[in-house]
Amino acid sequence: MDTLNLIGSQPIETEHFILRPIKETDAEAMYANWASSPAVAEYVTWNAHENVEVSRHLCRTWEERAKNIDFFHWTLVLKSIGEPIGTIGAVSIDIDKKSAEIGYCMGNKWWNKGYMTECLGAVTEYLFDKIGFEEITAYHDIDNPASGKVMKKCGMKFICSKEKTVKGLERTVLYYSLKKTEWDEIRPK
């Protein structure tokens, strides 16, 4: 059985972004550009950050975790401004099944520009081609269909809906999946 090529979160470049591991020095941009926004936090598993120190602690934690070869998480540095405007990463992985569940968020100032689709596509390609995952999954809150559109644009297919407790509330979430064999058929040429 082939094993995963665990090389961690190597930088990825796209047309508009540099995806790289987050650093503690990203805390101010994180807080200002997305983490303090109630709109961004509405459909994710975390609450809006109350102050920059919350962001700094998270950046420090992720910077330390980025040293691990099985940690796949990036900040999205928008080239035109040279600042991080969101994050994307594997929120859970199953090494035996070669499966990764992806989560992402981006500052609402940059929504509806195709940016998250660009970043999810790049991370999908990285996780399939460089790491060797066989399946990528993700889910979104039923009241956040824009996130589902991102998943669909990257080739993911709806699997099912489930009830999930998010921030103490029962929410309906929609699960999507993309297999490596499916990606190979639709990948950008």
Side-chain angles (χ1 to χ4, degrees):
M1 178 176 174
D2 292 339
T3 59
L4 295 173
N5 181 31
L6 299 177
I7 58 172
S9 309
Q10 301 297 316
I12 303 169
E13 186 169 355
T14 70
E15 180 181 354
H16 298 102
F17 291 90
I18 301 291
L19 285 68
R20 61 159 174 79
I22 205 161
K23 301 180 283 196
E24 184 177 351
T25 54
D26 294 323
E28 287 81 9
M30 173 189 240
Y31 181 75
N33 291 339
W34 76 92
S36 63
S37 169
V40 173
E42 184 172 5
Y43 298 115
V44 294
T45 58
W46 46 269
N47 293 313
H49 294 186
E50 294 179 14
N51 55 56
V52 73
E53 289 310 311
V54 175
S55 299
R56 189 175 325 286
H57 175 75
L58 185 57
C59 287
R60 193 177 311 122
T61 299
W62 282 344
E63 183 174 16
E64 188 61 30
R65 289 190 65 201
K67 296 174 184 173
N68 297 331
I69 60 172
D70 62 350
F71 185 67
F72 305 102
H73 196 271
W74 297 264
T75 189
L76 314 174
V77 179
L78 184 59
K79 291 177 183 177
S80 63
I81 63 170
E83 290 182 11
I85 64 165
T87 62
I88 189 168
V91 295
S92 69
I93 63 172
D94 185 324
I95 290 177
D96 294 331
K97 292 182 180 178
K98 296 185 178 181
S99 179
E101 180 180 300
I102 303 297
Y104 49 78
C105 65
M106 180 177 284
N108 52 311
K109 181 177 175 180
W110 298 279
W111 290 353
N112 300 311
K113 298 180 185 302
Y115 287 162
M116 190 52 78
T117 300
E118 178 179 331
C119 293
L120 178 57
V123 167
T124 297
E125 182 173 34
Y126 179 88
L127 293 176
F128 280 146
D129 295 349
K130 302 269 193 228
I131 307 302
F133 282 104
E134 294 293 330
E135 180 182 34
I136 305 294
T137 62
Y139 71 85
H140 69 88
D141 189 287
I142 196 166
D143 291 331
N144 186 15
S147 188
K149 287 180 184 175
V150 170
M151 295 170 198
K152 289 176 195 171
K153 286 179 184 176
C154 289
M156 292 184 156
K157 294 184 174 105
F158 173 75
I159 305 172
C160 66
S161 63
K162 292 182 183 176
E163 294 302 309
K164 185 174 180 74
T165 303
V166 180
K167 295 187 262 193
L169 301 172
E170 282 299 308
R171 302 292 304 165
T172 300
V173 297
L174 306 178
Y175 282 85
Y176 288 77
S177 170
L178 179 64
K179 306 274 190 204
K180 168 89 166 65
T181 53
E182 296 167 331
W183 173 253
D184 288 341
E185 292 176 11
I186 63 163
R187 76 173 53 242
K189 302 297 184 230

